[in-house]
Amino acid sequence: MGFFGKVTRFVRRVLATINIVVILVMCACGYAGAFSPAAHPWTELLVLAFPVPFTLNILFFLVWLVVSPRYVLLPIIGLLLCWTPCRRYCPINKEGEPDDKCIKVMTFNVAAFYLCEKNTKRLNGVVEYLVDNPADITCLQESHLHKYHLGKFTDLLHPIYPYIYRANPQKGETLTFLSKYPILDSEQIKYKTTRNTSWACRMLVDGDTILVVNSHMESTLLKQEDREEISDILKKREINTKERTILDKLCMAAVRRAPQVDSLASYLERHRGMTTILCGDFNDTPNSYAYNRMAKYLDNAFEHTGTGMGHTYKNYHMNVRIDNIFLSPDLEAVKCKIDDKTHVSDHFPVICWLKKRPKP
């Protein structure tokens, strides 16, 4: 073997070693969400880092196709070892076509209606969007309204949604249920929190009682300047003292969120067997502890019918999917999309068409 051949073989071995390391890191990040951040806060950082090794492994696949096709097996093995986290992060599905039997469900964090002007009766584009894009059931998070806007909000939406329930309106976080179906009752899912909350409503849908849960989990505790700092981090290399503080905040938010997730999971366990739709802003990514806990009881609509990374929050160079619709096994998601064409909030609405599965 000549000198060039030896160099080529050496480079291939080095690249293969790096690829193996990337796969191991990808698995560590992908499965870190199986552990509660309450006991292991650092797992949150692993979960958030998952896109890096995932992307590198995909790049290795492309590199091996050109450099040495037989090594393509390495990134493929990596994807198989980390199949569930990879599928959750970036699913690929054939989109279904909704029919007249489908129920349309939307979840939308409206960021306190974002651009509402205080002391006027002017409402921003969120309400206009809800009027122009009606669903059968819509769950809103951060839907607290100034008293000047409440009457206008109700007047505009009542013709579309005969049943409106605003949960927890006097205590900070307000969750809103908009429904074309009768709301039979409601209850709060209690857990320790400074302002976030989860509520459940039972609705009568075509003769069946469906449990609809609307949830907004603990936020990342990041202020606007922190988010701007993260935007700078993504353009830089070293981590300074301020940036370590931001990482600490992310871990602390996950620690606070974990018992909230456990309380919500316990509620789902108590109502296992009941037709359930869970909507909300979980403030955590697809491989997180929150997602893993919900997935034990319910199916994620986007994971099973959507395609791509599906970012629902896109701001300050942070592109993440933190808003979700989960369904009980007796419900089938026919289509799920994220409407990233509207910019009336800092979140994008998630819209799902679903129907009852045939009884066996």
Side-chain angles (χ1 to χ4, degrees):
M1 181 183 292
F3 175 75
F4 181 75
K6 290 180 179 179
V7 170
T8 301
R9 186 172 66 175
F10 175 75
V11 170
R12 278 201 301 261
R13 287 179 176 177
V14 170
L15 288 175
T17 301
I18 296 174
N19 195 174
I20 291 171
V21 172
V22 166
I23 290 169
L24 293 175
V25 173
M26 181 173 69
C27 289
C29 294
Y31 292 109
F35 303 96
S36 172
H40 310 284
W42 52 270
T43 57
E44 178 69 6
L45 301 181
L46 287 178
V47 168
L48 293 173
F50 178 79
V52 176
F54 173 79
T55 303
L56 288 175
N57 192 58
I58 298 298
L59 291 176
F60 265 112
F61 177 84
L62 300 175
V63 168
W64 289 128
L65 282 177
V66 176
V67 175
S68 182
R70 64 176 179 166
Y71 279 88
V72 163
L73 277 174
L74 267 180
I76 290 176
I77 290 171
L79 290 173
L80 292 175
L81 288 173
C82 204
W83 176 251
T84 297
C86 290
R87 175 173 169 75
R88 286 179 176 174
Y89 179 71
C90 186
I92 299 175
N93 296 288
K94 182 180 179 181
E95 191 175 86
E97 192 61 41
D99 56 32
D100 295 339
K101 296 180 180 179
C102 288
I103 298 172
K104 183 180 178 182
V105 176
M106 180 192 303
T107 184
F108 194 5
N109 183 323
V110 297
F113 297 88
Y114 209 53
L115 299 175
C116 276
E117 296 178 7
K118 291 182 179 180
N119 303 318
T120 76
K121 290 189 177 181
R122 178 182 178 274
L123 282 167
N124 78 320
V126 169
V127 176
E128 183 179 340
Y129 178 86
L130 294 173
V131 171
D132 292 341
N133 299 271
D136 296 306
I137 298 171
T138 294
C139 292
L140 305 179
Q141 301 85 43
E142 289 192 40
S143 57
H144 27 289
L145 277 166
H146 194 277
K147 62 181 180 180
Y148 293 103
H149 301 125
L150 184 56
K152 188 71 175 289
F153 172 84
T154 304
D155 290 343
L156 288 170
L157 290 176
H158 246 315
I160 302 170
Y161 298 100
Y163 305 94
I164 298 177
Y165 180 70
R166 300 181 70 246
N168 210 39
Q170 305 300 325
K171 300 179 181 179
E173 169 73 20
T174 301
L175 301 176
T176 300
F177 296 79
L178 306 173
S179 176
K180 294 182 179 180
Y181 304 105
I183 297 175
L184 302 177
D185 57 30
S186 65
E187 64 177 321
Q188 183 178 12
I189 302 168
K190 295 184 179 180
Y191 47 69
K192 186 177 180 180
T193 178
T194 53
R195 58 169 288 116
N196 296 79
T197 188
S198 299
W199 284 71
C201 284
R202 289 174 177 81
M203 299 183 185
L204 188 62
V205 180
D206 298 330
D208 293 329
T209 301
I210 292 182
L211 183 68
V212 180
V213 181
N214 190 357
S215 185
H216 187 196
M217 293 296 178
E218 190 79 25
S219 71
T220 56
L221 306 177
L222 298 181
K223 299 178 181 177
Q224 181 172 339
E225 55 266 31
D226 295 326
R227 299 173 193 268
E228 292 171 351
E229 186 69 25
I230 288 179
S231 178
D232 293 336
I233 291 174
L234 296 175
K235 303 174 187 174
K236 297 192 305 185
R237 310 103 339 246
E238 73 281 355
I239 297 178
N240 59 35
T241 303
K242 184 175 180 180
E243 289 158 2
R244 287 195 185 93
T245 301
I246 291 175
L247 297 180
D248 289 340
K249 283 187 176 182
L250 291 172
C251 289
M252 183 54 64
V255 169
R256 293 182 180 181
R257 189 160 49 243
Q260 299 174 7
V261 170
D262 291 338
S263 295
L264 181 54
S266 296
Y267 183 86
L268 295 175
E269 171 66 35
R270 293 195 301 273
H271 294 82
R272 190 192 283 268
M274 187 173 184
T275 301
T276 302
I277 301 171
L278 167 61
C279 298
D281 174 4
F282 292 84
N283 271 310
D284 227 334
T285 54
N287 290 313
S288 63
Y289 178 69
Y291 194 107
N292 272 275
R293 289 286 275 144
M294 299 305 106
K296 287 184 178 180
Y297 305 99
L298 308 172
D299 298 324
N300 185 273
F302 188 82
E303 179 186 339
H304 290 277
T305 60
T307 295
M309 298 176 189
H311 302 137
T312 65
Y313 179 89
K314 191 174 183 179
N315 217 345
Y316 301 105
H317 291 85
M318 291 184 290
N319 303 331
V320 288
R321 188 166 88 247
I322 57 178
D323 303 89
N324 293 282
I325 297 175
F326 287 90
L327 308 173
S328 55
D330 60 330
L331 293 175
E332 175 188 3
V334 176
K335 178 180 178 180
C336 185
K337 74 170 188 175
I338 295 162
D339 188 355
D340 57 3
K341 300 297 189 293
T342 180
H343 299 280
V344 294
S345 173
D346 55 354
H347 290 247
F348 299 130
V350 182
I351 305 167
C352 174
W353 288 262
L354 58 92
K355 62 183 178 181
K356 272 270 197 179
R357 292 184 187 275
K359 292 184 178 180

